[in-house]
Amino acid sequence: MVDDAQSGRPSPESRRQQILDAACERVRHSGFHGASMADIAKAAGLSVGQIYRYFENKEAIIAAIVEQDLAEMRDKFAELESQPGTLADAIDEHLPESIDKCFEPGRAALALEVIAEAARNPKVAAIVRSADDQERQMARSLMERSRKPEWSDAEFQARCEAIGLIFDGLLMRGVNHPDLDREALGQVLRSTVRHLLS
């Protein structure tokens, strides 16, 4: 944890991260409905009042969790964009890492909890849809370099969505079938992604 150099106390950024880490842990364990602010505070080693200094409510915590995920995705898209060669080659290189991440039990549980909460809570739905819109814009921008002139806008959009569906679906497979052969899956996904980009 980063401390304020003068006071020796945790910085606001590190305190926020402490709370987010605790919230993620409690949500994975109990779901959003089961994870009260008191539970999150206890896991963070703080009082409920301290939590409210940084987050107005649980929706604000969810928004911060989603933003962290989006920031990680921005970095990954930027990395893919900077690589030489074709987009398919770049995806090939990063596919095993992406599959492994989707199969991390904690990551999958948290992502599915966020989606489930979005289905029940209009405020969370707005947060998730805004993040998804940004992710889709980044994906479309990345895929533009592989776009074929004969693709209509609708077809291009559908191909982008199909690639997104693959990675969204991997989270579900990580929960439902965690022991599947990832190497074989990776080989099939490589050919599927190449087909979608060709």
Side-chain angles (χ1 to χ4, degrees):
M1 185 178 298
V2 178
D3 291 340
D4 183 305
Q6 294 180 341
S7 69
R9 291 176 302 191
S11 69
E13 293 77 16
S14 64
R15 185 66 88 196
R16 279 175 58 86
Q17 191 59 53
Q18 178 184 354
I19 295 165
L20 289 177
D21 291 344
C24 289
E25 185 272 321
R26 294 313 305 155
V27 167
R28 289 185 196 105
H29 184 266
S30 305
F32 277 111
H33 282 284
S36 68
M37 292 297 257
D39 292 332
I40 294 168
K42 184 177 179 181
L46 302 169
S47 70
V48 173
Q50 286 174 299
I51 300 286
Y52 282 115
R53 288 182 200 163
Y54 295 92
F55 297 99
E56 182 182 356
N57 49 37
K58 277 204 286 187
E59 283 87 358
I61 292 175
I62 295 170
I65 291 170
V66 170
E67 180 51 43
Q68 276 191 336
D69 187 58
L70 197 57
E72 184 181 321
M73 200 158 295
R74 280 191 203 100
D75 290 344
K76 181 54 68 179
F77 278 119
E79 186 180 348
L80 289 170
E81 187 68 55
S82 68
Q83 287 191 235
T86 68
L87 177 58
D89 290 337
I91 291 175
D92 275 359
E93 184 178 333
H94 291 274
L95 196 55
E97 174 194 353
S98 297
I99 292 172
D100 286 344
K101 277 191 174 182
C102 288
F103 275 72
E104 287 175 13
R107 178 181 288 265
L110 185 61
L112 294 174
E113 279 294 336
V114 170
I115 295 298
E117 186 64 17
R120 294 185 289 259
N121 183 327
K123 290 180 182 176
V124 176
I127 292 165
V128 169
R129 288 170 187 163
S130 173
D132 185 71
D133 185 56
Q134 292 177 64
E135 181 185 337
R136 283 186 286 110
Q137 287 179 30
M138 288 187 286
R140 281 196 300 269
S141 176
L142 186 63
M143 284 183 63
E144 279 289 349
R145 74 195 231 199
S146 297
R147 183 172 181 169
K148 301 296 182 285
E150 64 269 21
W151 293 349
S152 66
D153 287 343
E155 181 176 357
F156 177 63
Q157 176 64 31
R159 286 174 184 261
C160 292
E161 288 288 339
I163 290 176
L165 283 168
I166 289 169
F167 291 99
D168 288 347
L170 281 173
L171 289 167
M172 186 74 75
R173 300 315 302 155
V175 172
N176 290 343
H177 191 188
D179 300 323
L180 92 159
D181 186 332
R182 296 186 199 180
E183 186 175 343
L185 177 65
Q187 291 172 358
V188 171
L189 288 181
R190 280 187 183 91
S191 63
T192 302
V193 170
R194 284 188 175 275
H195 173 72
L196 289 167
L197 294 174
S198 65

